Structures are given as C-alpha cells and as structure tokens.
Amino acid sequence: MVAPESTPVYGGATSFLAGARGFQMRDIQYIDHVTVHPGAGDGSIDGWELLLKNIAPNALHDSSARYDAPKCDEDTRVEVTGEIMDWIQDRNSPQRVLCMIGAAGAGKSALQQTIAERCAKSDILAATFFCSSADPTRDRASTIVGTIAYQLGLKHPLFQSSIIAAVKHDPLIFSRSIQSQMEGLIVLPFHNLQRSQEIDIATFPYAILIDGLDECKGEPNHIADPAHLGADDRCQAEDRQAELLAAIRHCILDTDLPFRVFIASRPEWAVRTALEPGGDLHQVAYCIPLSDKYDASRDMRRYLQRRFEYIGLRIGNPQWYTDGDINTLVEAASGQFIYVATVFKYLSERRASPATRLKIVLTWTPDGSQGARPFEALDRLYTNILLAAKNAYEAVDTHRGRDFLLLFRAYHIGVTGFSFDTSSIVIESSADLLSALLCLEAGAEENLMSDLRSLVALGRNEGASHMRLRLYHKSFSDFLEAESRARALFVSKSRVLTHVAKCCMQHIIECPLDFDSLPAKWKEFTLPVLYRYSLKEAIELLPFFLNSTTTIDDEVSGFTQNRGWQKMNSLLPLLYQSEGWLFSKFHYWIDHLGQFTDMLKARKPELTAAINVWIEKWKCDQMEWRREWRKNILDSD
C-alpha cells in the first residue's frame, strides 16, 4: 500500500495492489524496471535519466534519508578505523577488497559511515551503498551497480558520457545480471577514461563502500519458472549477495581496475563462503572479523561517558550517574554497540527523567553469564521497552481493548511489506494508510509509537505526504521475528494477517456510504482521502488476506450476514472503471477468493455456497464491466 495522492517511494502510479513490489502470478509477471518500447534504443533515450530511475538515492552515505546515520565518535574505534584507512590508502596492497564481518549491533554501519566521511574529506571516495532491509528502496542487489555508476559518473564528464552511451545502447541493462551491469556501467566506462588520457587515473577517487550486504534481499519474483515461486526467500537473498561478490571479483579484481572495495556484513552464508577455500574472495580479500578482533568495551565506555556528561549539562546535574553505572551497562552490552546506543536514546527522550530511566535500565541487565544467550542483554532491553510502551498505551481509556503488540507488529511487517504464502505478492504499507485500514483513528500510529522512539522513528520522506516507520537497527526486527527471543511478546505473522483480514471486512461493513445512491465515479465519494484509499485497499486485498488465514470463519459469517458481499458488489464496478485494476487482474482476485471458499467448504458448506453465488455473479459481470470500461475509453477519446 502506498500513500494516496503522493509521489510513490518506489515504482509507478497508484494501481491494483498499490505498493506491490514485483509479483508474479501464473502467466503475468511484473518487473519493477522502466518499460522500454521497441525502437527505443535510438538517440531519443535519455541515458542519464534512465539511470536515475534505477538507482537508490537513500543508499548514499550523505542521503537526507540517513541524516542521523550512526558514526563513530572522534576518539572511539580508533584502532579499527586506523586499520581500515591504512588499507584503503595503501594503493600497493595486492588485496583490493576488504570484508569487515561482525555480529548484529557490533557497530559496522557506524564504522562504514565514519570511513565514508573520511574518504570524502580526502577526495578518494568513489561511491557508497548502504543496504537496509527496512528501506524497500535500498534492499535489493539490482540497484547497487547503477547507484555506484551514478556516483562514478559525477566524478568525470567522460565517465558519465560513457555510462549514458551504455544505457542508450542497451536500455534493458538494468534487468541483466549484476556482472553484465558492472561490465557495461563501470568497467567499460573506466577503460574509456583510461584510454582518453584526459586525466591522471591515479587521481580518480577509488574507494567504494558497501554496507550491510547481509540485508540485501533477492529480487521479488525474479525467477520466471512458476515451479520455483515457493523457493525460500533467504536462499534467493543469499544467491544475489553471492552474485554481487562474484561480480566484484570478475569485474574489478580480475580486470585490474584501481578501485578498493570495502564491504561490511554480518557473517552470513554469502560472505562466509566467498572467503572460504574455493570462494570468489578466498585469499584475494583482506578480512577484519570485527567482533573477534576488536574489543569495543573501552569505546562504549567513552561513548556513554561523553553522552552522560552532555545529559548532565542539559539537566544541570553532573552527578546524575556514576562510573559504576557505565561499567554495568558496558558489561551488559557484551560487545554490541547497538546496546549502548539504544540505552542512550532511551535515557535522552524528552519529558523523561534520565536518572529515573537509568535506574530502570540498570534493573534490566542480566545477572549471570551470557555465554548461552549472546543477545540476552539486548533482548531484555527490547523486551522491557516494549512492555513499558504496551502498558502505557493500553492504560489510555480510548485504547483499552486494543492489543498493542498485535498492532505494532502489523506496522513492523508493513515496513518491508505484507507477503502471502498463497502468492508471491509483496505489499508495502505506509503507516498512516495502514492506520486507516486497521480501522484506527487518524494519527493512531503516532500514539502507538510514542514510547518507542528509542527503537523506531516515524517520519515523512522528502516531498512525500505519507508517514513511514523506520527501525533504527535490524537487530530489533530480528528480535520481533524470533519467538525464541521475543518470547511472550512474540506475535506471529499469521496472527497479523488474520487481524488485517478482519479489519478489511469491518472497514467494508462500516462504510458510511449510501449504497442506494452511489456516485458515478469512485473519486466523487464524499469520504476523507485516507478513508477512500483504505476502503479501496480493503476490497482489493481481502481475498489475499482471507486466503492466508485459518481461524476466521465466524467473522466471515458476520461479514456475510451484514451485507458485506452486497456492498462489495456495489463498489466493484466503480473500482473497475476508475482504477482499471480489474481489467487484467480480476481473475486472480476471483481465484484467491475461490481458493478460500474451497478451504471453507468442509467447515461451513452453507456459508461457502452463499459466497460462491457472488463469485459466479462477478465472473459474469466482468464481461459487462469490460464493455463499459472500453466504452468509457472510446467516449473520452
């Protein structure tokens, strides 16, 4: 779901399943790339403009989307930053790829940001790409090469013109393999620059930084064979990560380009196998095992000391903490910088007493050894912040009866998109539109997140009107998704999908429209904008949510008794005419509704028969809707 009447963050105009990213259903495949028509390979193509449509601006180290990106304090992480900068500046070193691996929360992204800023200051920064699984604009491998090429093109006009020529020659280059993209957009343009002798190649910026490789996902439905649509998403992500590492080996190392590539990642499958014997980077990459090689305790102690001193100045009480408090927190962090960073965010929230909150945090630290549970301290921190927020939220009169954890998990899943086991659709959701779909009041997302600002942020992207939820660190997302870590706070994805399905039915039943005198066009409904769009989403998505649930029979019976299908029947023709989504996708919508009734038949045969009457009616109505749609198109011409 995308925000109404605003520029979409990713993709094109509002359409059926608005916000869906790359999906394949039987014989129809949607690929999120610019469509190029036959004959478009001539000079009419704006190569640079086409490149801009296939990059991820949020992934740049100085992107406005990363305005508060974590980085190292001036006198922290001195040893590791020194080692990295020494490697980058040693142009004679034979190992031109550096892999820094470390556990979640070890401070990899802060180090990457610090190195990026130092390289930029020294005029040696060629390009950066900060991956993020929480940002759908920078969680895919397909945009990495184009984004790096864009930054290289800004360094010299001849490099830029070579990129433009490559895109004009092959406008579909962005749908090709990562290696083909790298050869066409980076290797060949650089060789052209070398042959031109217009500049001293030794002066060309050469440091390329890629952060969070493990957060790079597989392409949505990039496998065309329907037999593979059920393939594990993790395997697809790992394959794409491995493909990128192989392309770096073949296109940058084997072609002797002068670039030095600094990659940071968790020690996941792709980077581990690349560094092992037989891997693409074995013996050709310099490796820094961050969590094993560097003890960050001293730096975390310095980090907390400086920030606690700042809080003391702000509140006028420099004795609000003790050195023992800092030592306790550093020990609890167990090498995870994200722990102390989260503690500081929690203590420094406005309208809260830092001293009181510090006492609370100190009671959350574990007593014994963390050998069996390396994330115990972080999990305890997340657990108690969530519990405190839950209790505060549910204590408000207007929120009583609501399940805080269920609602928050729905927003969390909406960060990366709802997906369904029965199809390959992925639907992104803005926070404010999801509030409307969940039948909550306007601004409900603000109230829900008000006590979670040390973990998440709500905000609008530049130039957009919709509200987005952002998680400060992936380790929190990992916590929410693992029952073994979240324990009593765990909310399964199936439970969320069931709840959203119920809300979709409630949204339709409670629609305040006069169904006996509906306007001729959908946009003429006298409804608030968010409500109108969320009603549209409820109708479009209901079959998919229903088909992903198993405990919703009573709600479907109530929906049927309350004329829910009749109301949908009144609204479907208007959606067909105004959005056109039924023209090519209606049979998939019907198929999913039919699959749901097939599962329902054994349990509720009479209810199934009632729904099937509507399914058969809509199959027949489709022909009439199509004729009306075509007539309207001809009349408008």
Side-chain angles (χ1 to χ4, degrees):
M1 291 169 280
V2 298
E5 299 178 357
S6 64
T7 303
V9 173
Y10 206 73
T14 304
S15 61
F16 173 72
L17 298 177
R21 292 186 287 111
F23 57 86
Q24 181 182 19
M25 296 181 287
R26 297 186 180 178
D27 58 335
I28 291 182
Q29 184 178 21
Y30 169 82
I31 302 176
D32 195 3
H33 285 297
V34 176
T35 300
V36 179
H37 300 287
D42 56 25
S44 63
I45 289 290
D46 186 331
W48 193 250
E49 184 67 24
L50 190 53
L51 173 73
L52 294 180
K53 293 179 181 294
N54 288 274
I55 69 171
N58 287 3
L60 306 184
H61 81 282
D62 56 354
S63 164
S64 62
R66 303 185 64 254
Y67 70 92
D68 60 346
K71 60 182 177 181
C72 304
D73 284 5
E74 185 177 353
D75 56 351
T76 63
R77 316 308 295 267
V78 174
E79 291 180 298
V80 64
T81 53
E83 181 178 356
I84 295 169
M85 287 304 300
D86 287 346
W87 172 84
I88 290 176
Q89 294 171 325
D90 183 4
R91 304 292 295 273
N92 295 319
S93 172
Q95 294 171 309
R96 290 180 288 118
V97 173
L98 166 61
C99 288
M100 180 177 68
I101 56 176
K108 300 182 296 298
S109 294
L111 283 164
Q112 276 276 22
Q113 182 69 25
T114 300
I115 297 299
E117 293 181 6
R118 291 190 184 184
C119 289
K121 189 173 182 179
S122 302
D123 293 326
I124 63 173
L125 183 64
T128 60
F129 195 101
F130 282 76
C131 303
S132 173
S133 62
D135 184 342
T137 71
R138 52 189 175 107
D139 66 350
R140 299 188 304 167
S142 62
T143 58
I144 292 180
V145 175
T147 305
I148 291 174
Y150 160 76
Q151 295 169 81
L152 295 175
L154 298 179
K155 307 300 181 184
H156 195 278
L158 180 57
F159 204 116
Q160 184 176 114
S161 63
S162 295
I163 294 173
I164 293 172
V167 176
K168 284 186 175 181
H169 174 72
D170 182 10
L172 296 179
I173 190 169
F174 303 104
S175 64
R176 303 198 184 282
S177 69
I178 294 177
Q179 181 169 330
S180 294
Q181 292 183 50
M182 200 170 288
E183 288 172 347
L185 300 176
I186 296 177
V187 178
L188 293 180
F190 192 83
H191 285 164
N192 289 339
L193 187 62
Q194 282 180 311
R195 287 191 294 269
S196 72
Q197 298 184 348
E198 288 191 11
I199 66 167
D200 179 2
I201 290 298
T203 66
F204 194 85
Y206 59 88
I208 297 176
L209 278 56
I210 301 174
D211 180 61
L213 177 67
D214 55 283
E215 297 193 39
C216 191
K217 300 179 181 178
E219 299 303 301
N221 309 311
H222 68 282
I223 299 177
D225 184 358
H228 292 84
L229 287 177
D232 183 74
D233 290 339
R234 180 178 291 276
C235 290
Q236 292 185 18
E238 292 169 346
D239 289 345
R240 292 296 272 173
Q241 294 162 19
E243 182 186 358
L244 175 63
L245 295 175
I248 290 172
R249 167 66 186 266
H250 297 307
C251 296
I252 294 181
L253 304 188
D254 293 351
T255 58
D256 202 30
L257 263 62
F259 298 113
R260 301 181 77 73
V261 184
F262 173 26
I263 301 170
S265 174
R266 294 186 188 186
E268 302 293 359
W269 178 86
V271 70
R272 289 201 321 271
T273 54
L275 294 170
E276 291 172 352
D280 286 300
L281 299 182
H282 182 60
Q283 294 186 335
V284 300
Y286 184 65
C287 183
I288 296 179
L290 184 61
S291 302
D292 300 331
K293 188 173 182 179
Y294 290 99
D295 181 6
S297 297
R298 184 177 59 182
D299 292 330
M300 287 190 287
R301 188 172 288 106
R302 189 178 291 117
Y303 171 93
L304 287 176
Q305 181 75 38
R306 179 177 290 122
R307 278 155 179 75
F308 282 13
E309 288 175 354
Y310 167 77
I311 291 176
L313 291 173
R314 178 168 63 84
I315 66 176
N317 178 17
Q319 281 80 45
W320 73 278
Y321 68 97
T322 68
D323 290 341
D325 295 337
I326 290 180
N327 290 335
T328 299
L329 293 173
V330 171
E331 290 176 8
S334 189
Q336 295 173 269
F337 233 101
I338 184 61
Y339 181 90
V340 293
T342 302
V343 166
F344 171 68
K345 282 190 175 74
Y346 181 67
L347 298 183
S348 60
E349 287 182 0
R350 296 175 183 176
R351 294 180 292 278
S353 167
T356 300
R357 287 203 164 195
L358 177 59
K359 291 179 181 179
I360 295 173
V361 170
L362 290 172
T363 65
W364 296 347
T365 56
D367 298 326
S369 170
Q370 299 185 44
R373 294 183 60 81
F375 293 110
E376 183 177 353
L378 189 59
D379 291 351
R380 188 175 296 219
L381 182 66
Y382 289 156
T383 295
N384 285 278
I385 292 175
L386 272 173
L387 278 175
K390 175 182 184 296
N391 293 335
Y393 180 84
E394 294 180 352
V396 176
D397 289 343
T398 54
H399 298 160
R400 287 180 183 169
R402 293 182 181 178
D403 187 327
F404 171 87
L405 294 173
L406 177 61
L407 293 176
F408 177 72
R409 184 78 164 102
Y411 286 99
H412 166 247
I413 293 177
V415 171
T416 52
F418 290 93
S419 59
F420 307 93
D421 295 336
T422 54
S423 72
S424 52
I425 298 170
V426 177
I427 303 163
E428 297 170 21
S429 171
S430 65
D432 44 2
L433 184 53
L434 183 55
S435 293
L437 188 64
L438 293 174
C439 303
L440 302 176
E441 70 279 1
E445 65 280 356
E446 292 275 8
N447 295 327
L448 193 79
M449 314 295 171
S450 61
D451 290 302
L452 294 175
R453 296 311 178 102
S454 58
L455 302 177
V456 302
L458 270 174
R460 290 179 172 84
N461 290 340
E462 186 175 353
S465 62
H466 53 281
M467 188 74 73
R468 289 278 170 183
L469 176 67
R470 180 169 62 88
L471 276 63
Y472 283 121
H473 201 276
K474 188 176 184 294
S475 62
F476 182 44
S477 186
D478 294 341
F479 167 83
L480 294 170
E481 293 170 351
E483 186 173 5
S484 61
R485 294 181 62 185
R487 299 185 178 181
L489 302 183
F490 177 73
V491 177
S492 67
K493 178 183 172 183
S494 62
R495 187 179 164 203
V496 172
L497 293 179
T498 299
H499 181 69
V500 179
K502 294 176 182 178
C503 290
C504 286
M505 291 187 287
Q506 179 184 347
H507 208 33
I508 295 167
I509 290 174
E510 295 179 355
C511 177
L513 291 171
D514 181 357
F515 284 85
D516 293 328
S517 58
L518 290 174
K521 296 182 179 179
W522 182 269
K523 64 181 181 181
E524 294 175 357
F525 285 165
T526 55
L527 297 171
V529 173
L530 270 177
Y531 193 103
R532 188 169 72 239
Y533 273 80
S534 60
L535 178 63
K536 171 180 172 290
E537 295 285 352
I539 295 171
E540 290 181 352
L541 302 178
L542 181 58
F544 300 94
F545 281 109
L546 286 176
N547 211 16
S548 300
T549 64
T550 56
T551 57
I552 204 168
D553 294 4
D554 292 340
E555 287 78 9
V556 174
S557 295
F559 181 74
T560 303
Q561 293 168 7
N562 284 281
R563 297 173 49 83
W565 304 111
Q566 286 93 327
K567 292 184 177 182
M568 286 181 63
N569 181 62
S570 301
L571 295 172
L572 283 174
L574 297 178
L575 277 178
Y576 189 102
Q577 294 170 9
S578 63
E579 302 296 334
W581 60 269
L582 292 173
F583 185 70
S584 58
K585 310 294 195 307
F586 182 73
H587 57 291
Y588 294 115
W589 190 89
I590 283 288
D591 282 350
H592 276 77
L593 191 55
Q595 290 169 22
F596 170 70
T597 58
D598 287 344
M599 294 187 297
L600 186 67
K601 187 175 182 179
R603 303 189 304 269
K604 300 279 186 177
E606 294 183 2
L607 178 60
T608 300
I611 300 173
N612 282 335
V613 169
W614 290 107
I615 292 177
E616 293 304 317
K617 178 183 184 301
W618 291 331
K619 287 180 180 178
C620 297
D621 287 347
Q622 185 186 16
M623 298 302 296
E624 179 60 28
W625 293 342
R626 182 170 299 186
R627 282 193 293 269
E628 290 181 14
W629 184 85
R630 287 174 175 167
K631 181 178 181 298
N632 291 336
I633 293 296
L634 292 174
D635 291 343
S636 64
D637 291 339

